Amino acid sequence: MNRKRMAIIAASFLAVLAIAGGSIFALRRAAVAEGAPQYVFLYAENQTEDYPTTSGGRKFADLVYERTGGRIKILVKYGAELGSESEVLEQMRYGGIAFARVSLSQLAEKVPEMNVLQMPYLYSSSEHMWRVLDGELGDQFLQKPESYGLVGLSWYDAGARNFYSTKPIRRLEDVKGMTIRVQESDMMADMVSALGATPAKIVYSEVYSAFEKGLVDGAENNWPSYESMHHYKVAEYYTIDEHTRVPEMQICSRAVWDTLDEGDRQIILDCAKESALYERELWAAREKSSRQIAEDSGITVIEIDSGEKERFRQAMSEVYSKYCKDDMDMLRKIMEY
């Protein structure tokens, strides 16, 4: 973690302690001035201020504040102010950050059992994914982050991820030889390698400059991310292949969770699930508007037909074997769910 981010986290942390009366991690019950929050927690979000997941986080914070009568205040820090998602996850293990919204790709780096939910070309549609996540299987996977000192709260939508690039991608052969930015995720890197391209792990905030400098030929993400970070200005071809539908998860630090009583835990869970429904509505609207903004700028949208998409899927056999070798039954179960 660089010095600037360390300074930001330290400043935020000290602010939390000041508001909470100096208690460690703002958790110890202490006498505070009348009307002041009993607990003040940090919530990490790496997207922009107006992004659906950021708005969902604010909704969550507002609901918790309201339903605890102001006893619990959650400060939502957006724009990666508290660090990258991988840095945030490390901080959360020790309670330095209480809550966050993170991509499943980042979480799976710490909890490999989560990988099965984000295998390329796993879901046939958005409805298919939500049948899985809103059901018994989704509840089981919410419990898996506990092995890393985290508590899963709810699922957020992040749409389908597609490729965008400086030259068109219409067939599998077009990907070969390209350098494509991926998240800091081994699985996503292996997916790109399986398609014949070279993966480049670059943090989200530096993707635009990577295109400008010619360090990458392409990247992959959803419509709102492509639009909100202005990547459409440097990568004019957007290829809809829907290679992954990687959901987001709201999480809580186990160090924080264990300090809360059962009543507050239930309030937090209820508010997280309610904010998730709100975020999904915002996501659907944002996805539509983001696509319109990008198309109005003059980009070229390319849709991969079913036959060509099957060729992309067949290239994933080694990725499935590597990341789901002990979970192939679960992989098939999800595909058929």
Side-chain angles (χ1 to χ4, degrees):
M1 187 183 303
N2 62 39
R3 291 182 179 179
K4 180 179 179 182
R5 285 177 176 165
M6 289 180 67
I8 290 171
I9 291 175
S12 298
F13 184 62
L14 290 173
V16 168
L17 293 184
I19 296 171
S23 58
I24 186 71
F25 297 138
L27 291 175
R28 182 172 59 82
R29 292 180 179 274
V32 295
E34 184 176 353
Q38 191 171 23
Y39 300 137
V40 181
F41 298 123
L42 293 175
Y43 181 115
E45 168 61 65
N46 76 335
Q47 294 288 1
T48 56
E49 183 177 10
D50 63 343
Y51 203 77
T53 55
T54 307
S55 297
R58 284 206 183 99
K59 180 72 170 180
F60 168 67
D62 290 344
L63 288 170
V64 171
Y65 187 79
E66 175 187 336
R67 293 179 188 175
T68 61
R71 289 187 301 103
I72 298 178
K73 184 175 182 64
I74 298 171
L75 306 176
V76 179
K77 301 293 184 179
Y78 57 86
E81 183 177 344
L82 300 181
S84 68
E85 288 189 336
S86 60
E87 291 168 342
V88 166
L89 288 171
E90 192 65 25
Q91 287 285 313
M92 291 185 74
R93 293 188 73 185
Y94 308 104
I97 297 172
F99 298 97
R101 187 284 314 160
V102 296
S103 169
L104 184 66
S105 292
Q106 291 298 307
L107 193 56
E109 292 294 295
K110 312 297 184 182
V111 188
E113 303 96 301
M114 306 293 289
N115 268 314
V116 68
L117 286 180
Q118 61 170 347
M119 285 297 101
Y121 307 102
L122 175 63
Y123 305 104
S124 61
S125 65
S126 175
E127 291 75 19
H128 179 188
M129 183 183 75
W130 289 117
R131 281 199 303 273
V132 173
L133 298 183
D134 287 338
E136 182 181 347
L137 288 181
D139 289 341
Q140 290 177 16
F141 279 98
L142 279 175
Q143 298 174 19
K144 292 188 181 296
E146 292 187 10
S147 64
Y148 193 73
L150 303 168
V151 177
L153 302 176
S154 67
W155 299 103
Y156 270 25
D157 199 358
R161 297 178 75 96
N162 303 289
F163 289 112
Y164 49 91
S165 53
T166 56
K167 56 184 179 180
I169 297 175
R170 293 187 171 90
R171 303 174 65 244
L172 182 59
E173 288 76 11
D174 295 333
V175 183
K176 297 184 185 303
M178 295 178 70
T179 298
I180 297 179
R181 178 267 173 179
V182 296
Q183 297 167 287
E184 297 169 278
S185 161
D186 290 342
M187 193 282 291
M188 296 299 281
D190 286 342
M191 178 197 76
V192 165
S193 294
L195 296 175
T198 300
K201 292 183 180 180
I202 299 173
V203 297
Y204 183 61
S205 60
E206 297 175 6
V207 176
Y208 190 99
S209 63
F211 272 109
E212 284 191 312
K213 295 173 183 176
L215 299 177
V216 296
D217 304 303
E220 53 81 45
N221 217 316
N222 51 57
W223 280 109
S225 294
Y226 176 63
E227 176 268 319
S228 67
M229 298 298 283
H230 305 293
H231 292 171
Y232 62 89
K233 294 181 179 180
V234 288
E236 63 180 300
Y237 296 98
Y238 193 93
T239 300
I240 300 177
D241 72 315
E242 298 183 335
H243 50 264
T244 54
R245 291 184 179 275
V246 182
E248 318 270 45
M249 187 186 285
Q250 269 192 315
I251 53 177
C252 178
S253 165
R254 168 59 72 177
V256 170
W257 188 257
D258 286 346
T259 310
L260 300 172
D261 62 35
E262 287 297 326
D264 285 342
R265 290 180 187 178
Q266 191 59 54
I267 288 173
I268 286 169
L269 279 172
D270 291 343
C271 293
K273 294 184 184 302
E274 188 170 331
S275 75
L277 297 177
Y278 175 73
E279 186 271 346
R280 292 182 205 178
E281 292 178 1
L282 294 180
W283 183 269
R286 178 61 181 270
E287 194 168 50
K288 183 178 180 180
S289 65
S290 291
R291 177 170 181 168
Q292 190 63 56
I293 291 171
E295 288 186 335
D296 288 346
S297 76
I299 68 162
T300 299
V301 178
I302 302 167
E303 297 203 32
I304 299 291
D305 63 39
S306 59
E308 191 63 29
K309 190 172 181 178
E310 182 58 30
R311 294 184 66 212
F312 279 70
R313 180 182 293 109
Q314 289 175 1
M316 294 298 109
S317 59
E318 291 187 6
V319 176
Y320 293 161
S321 297
K322 178 177 179 178
Y323 291 95
C324 300
K325 61 182 179 180
D326 297 324
D327 296 301
M328 293 303 290
D329 288 342
M330 177 62 74
L331 184 70
R332 285 188 286 269
K333 185 174 182 178
I334 292 172
M335 286 181 170
E336 298 167 1
Y337 203 77

